[in-house]
Amino acid sequence: MKVVRTVDDARAAIPSAGVGLVPTMGALHAGHVALLRAARAENETLVASIFVNPTQFGPGEDYGEYPRDEERDLHVAEAEGVDLVFAPSVDGMYPDGFQTWVEVEQVARGLEGAARPEHFRGVATACLKLFNIVRPARAYFGQKDAQQAALVEQLVRDLNVPVEIRLVSTVRDEDGLALSSRNALLSSEERATAIALPRALSRGKLAFASGEDPIAAARAVLDAEPSLGVDYVETARFNGRVHLLAAVRAGRTRLIDNVLLEGSL
Ligand code: PAJ
């Protein structure tokens, strides 16, 4: 497995066809591994990017605390058959004078976009840059970040980016909590209360299946866990899929999750 750190080296090392890309911010867990495996199975060359993208973090957010462990990540990538890791520096991605941003409008509004202004502009810009640098035939995104996946689908469609976006189902811990790099920031008590998030979404999905209001059902479960702060519980339609989505705060850590109510990935 090769590791490259500059755009020029990436361009020189990555073949022009048959490439699958898995964009990540590192701290790789079994959710990322599911994406790597899906991509490994479908592409001749597998590229993973590891870049904690500063432009998608707001001023008071956890950019500084975001978990980083490159040595471990490289072992995980190697074990999953990654051919090349692109791990650029912040200056390499955003050199002095950088001033061009990708703004996806409607999909970026509400939900995460309401709670995190400028977040999706940072995500969209980083993803388009990665697509231009790596030039993958396919790129893989998790359902876990459903609004992000929809935003990338929209950006690719609107700007005619020649990449196929593939979505992968959410990987969960045994007790149902969706795997997330941010779970590492939870205390053991916060980890225990966080379970209410997937429980609430499952309850909402069951309610929906029996013709009841999924949002009210999910909210009732979250309201029973007063130490969780609820940012939102909403439904949204993305590209023919209907999701029930929620964001909560456990201590200082913000967690998001969603389930599919209608449609498939
Ligand atoms: P990151 O949070 O590292 O996630 C990288 C990819 O892994 C995303 O597509 C995300 O949806 C997926 N993922 C995370 N947890 C998952 C889980 N439990 N099951 C399945 N997939 C999961 O998302 C980002 O990084 C960044 O915003 C990025 C797209 C790299 C742009 O900077």
Side-chain angles (χ1 to χ4, degrees):
M1 186 178 79
K2 216 168 172 168
V3 181
V4 296
R5 298 187 187 278
T6 69
V7 171
D8 287 346
D9 288 349
R11 285 206 192 281
I14 297 170
S16 57
V19 175
L21 170 67
V22 178
T24 82
M25 299 204 297
L28 300 182
H29 52 64
H32 297 113
V33 166
L35 269 60
L36 293 173
R37 289 185 182 167
R40 180 67 287 173
E42 293 177 340
N43 301 276
E44 219 163 293
T45 301
L46 173 52
V47 176
S49 60
I50 299 179
F51 179 60
V52 185
N53 174 34
T55 65
Q56 67 186 76
F57 290 80
E61 292 183 3
D62 58 355
Y63 176 67
E65 293 136 277
Y66 196 84
R68 292 163 171 87
D69 189 347
E70 192 189 82
E71 200 183 320
R72 196 183 150 272
D73 288 345
L74 295 181
H75 284 299
V76 172
E78 173 107 64
E80 295 303 328
V82 172
D83 296 300
L84 187 132
V85 170
F86 177 49
S89 66
V90 172
D91 288 347
M93 287 290 271
Y94 299 105
D96 274 351
F98 184 90
Q99 55 185 288
T100 304
W101 299 96
V102 181
E103 197 92 51
V104 182
E105 296 183 343
Q106 206 176 306
V107 184
R109 293 201 190 111
L111 303 164
E112 289 305 286
R116 308 181 69 190
E118 308 212 337
H119 169 67
F120 282 124
R121 171 182 107 140
V123 169
T125 304
C127 287
L128 183 59
K129 284 174 68 68
L130 290 169
F131 296 155
N132 284 332
I133 295 163
V134 176
R135 284 163 292 167
R138 303 187 188 89
Y140 295 78
F141 289 84
Q143 181 207 327
K144 159 80 172 28
D145 301 282
Q147 190 179 12
Q148 167 175 279
L151 172 110
V152 173
E153 290 177 316
Q154 187 73 43
L155 135 76
V156 161
R157 200 160 49 232
D158 287 349
L159 299 183
N160 308 98
V161 186
V163 61
E164 184 189 340
I165 301 303
R166 311 277 276 157
L167 303 189
V168 176
S169 302
T170 304
V171 178
R172 299 176 179 282
D173 257 345
E174 275 171 20
D175 60 6
L177 187 68
L179 296 183
S180 163
S181 305
R182 288 197 172 90
N183 293 355
L185 304 173
L186 296 170
S187 70
S188 55
E189 287 116 59
E190 288 164 357
R191 175 68 184 74
T193 55
I195 289 304
L197 175 58
R199 287 207 181 123
L201 294 172
S202 313
R203 188 73 64 80
K205 190 176 163 82
L206 279 176
F208 180 78
S210 50
E212 290 155 37
D213 177 5
I215 297 173
R219 263 217 177 257
V221 175
L222 292 174
D223 288 346
E225 192 60 77
S227 60
L228 284 183
V230 181
D231 266 7
Y232 61 78
V233 183
E234 286 182 41
T235 56
R237 178 179 288 275
F238 297 131
N239 299 321
R241 308 179 293 270
V242 178
H243 298 256
L244 173 64
L245 313 95
V248 300
R249 280 165 282 108
R252 296 181 56 213
T253 305
R254 199 161 170 283
L255 300 172
I256 63 170
D257 196 357
N258 72 91
V259 291
L260 267 178
L261 297 180
E262 276 176 25
S264 57
L265 295 181

